[in-house]
């Protein structure tokens, strides 16, 4: 009898160990860091990356109604990146969201696919499978974004024959950072797509503003919290020194118009304030802005 009891106890202990190991692997063990960098090529026109672990604890406490921010960080991914590669022939941009998951990588895709509407609509069409687990530590969501065909004709004409180059460097030291590489016409393509009405043509002023982007090399920006409610946004527009001397002035004008519209939208929709200014330094336009009461976006 004692023999059978010992065998049953051993089996029970083995089951407990297997269960504990499975729970540890699935829920507790950290997944490896897999930064998005290896997916960037010379054809990548836009990069944007968000590092959740750099959110202030006070901000997380506010957003989670006083819950321990360490619990939130336990689940939050290391980084979330957005990548865009233009396809001139198809008038589209291949887009990818890459999530460097920290934990629960096996469960997150099904949760997202069941709770987020990824059905066709708008400019972006997501892949039918939705968010998928490519490997341990890496979740991917692929799709394509429609670009304005007439604008892409201009891109093909202006940048025809331009070969992919080494990707422009990013700092990697901010809460949020993005790079819009216009060396192959990416900024021109996006601006033309969003500025062109669904039916109709650009008015002369908007057309002139769009044409000024031909001599823009890149746009780099980053954002960081300066306290638990306010964010500082820094922008840099680098223009070609061998291009038109009017380009930086036109870019600064467009930036002012864009930020004024954004300021009004944030105030009306969320009660947030956006304040700041830009300055011209040779062929470089720099913008510095403060976005206050960011938490209000989650309360509306």
């Amino acid at each position: 009898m004692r023999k059978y009891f010992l065998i049953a106890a051993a089996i029970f202990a083995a089951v407990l160990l297997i269960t504990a190991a499975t729970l540890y692997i699935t829920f507790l063990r950290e997944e490896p860091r897999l930064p998005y960098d290896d997916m960037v090529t010379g054809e990548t026109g836009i990069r944007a990356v968000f590092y959740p672990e750099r959110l202030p604890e006070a901000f997380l406490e506010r957003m989670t109604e006083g819950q321990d921010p360490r619990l939130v960080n336990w689940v939050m991914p290391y980084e979330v990146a957005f990548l865009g590669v233009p396809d001139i022939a198809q008038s589209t941009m291949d887009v990818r969201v890459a999530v460097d998951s920290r934990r629960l990588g096996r469960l997150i895709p099904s949760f997202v696919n069941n709770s987020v509407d990824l059905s066709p609509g708008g400019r972006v069409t997501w892949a039918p499978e939705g968010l998928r687990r490519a490997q341990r530590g890496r979740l991917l969501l692929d799709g394509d974004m429609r670009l304005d065909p007439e604008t892409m004709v201009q891109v093909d004409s202006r940048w025809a024959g331009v070969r992919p180059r080494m990707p422009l460097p990013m700092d990697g030291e901010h809460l949020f950072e993005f790079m819009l590489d216009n060396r192959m016409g990416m900024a021109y393509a996006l601006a033309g797509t969003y500025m062109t009405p669904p039916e109709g043509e650009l008015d002369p002023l908007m057309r002139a503003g769009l044409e000024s982007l031909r001599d823009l090399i890149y746009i780099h920006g980053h954002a960081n919290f300066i306290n638990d409610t306010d964010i500082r946004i820094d922008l840099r527009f680098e223009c070609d020194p061998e291009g038109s001397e009017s380009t930086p002035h036109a870019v600064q004008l467009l930036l002012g118009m864009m930020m004024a519209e954004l300021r009004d939208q944030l105030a009306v929709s969320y009660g947030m304030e956006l304040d700041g200014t830009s300055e011209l330094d040779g062929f470089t336009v720099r913008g510095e802005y403060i976005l206050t009461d960011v938490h209000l976006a989650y309360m509306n």
Side-chain angles (χ1 to χ4, degrees), residues 29-89:
R29 187 176 60 157
E30 282 193 343
E31 298 181 356
R33 284 184 177 267
L34 293 175
Y36 72 95
D37 305 66
D38 63 332
M39 292 179 281
V40 177
T41 70
E43 295 182 331
T44 303
I46 182 171
R47 285 174 283 162
V49 59
F50 170 59
Y51 297 95
E53 60 187 352
R54 294 175 183 167
L55 288 167
E57 288 192 3
F59 177 80
L60 290 176
E61 289 177 353
R62 185 191 294 269
M63 294 300 97
T64 56
E65 299 181 348
Q67 297 296 322
D68 190 338
R70 289 176 297 181
L71 180 61
V72 180
N73 284 327
W74 187 80
V75 178
M76 274 190 175
Y78 297 115
E79 68 179 36
V80 180
F82 176 89
L83 307 173
V85 178
D87 185 335
I88 296 178

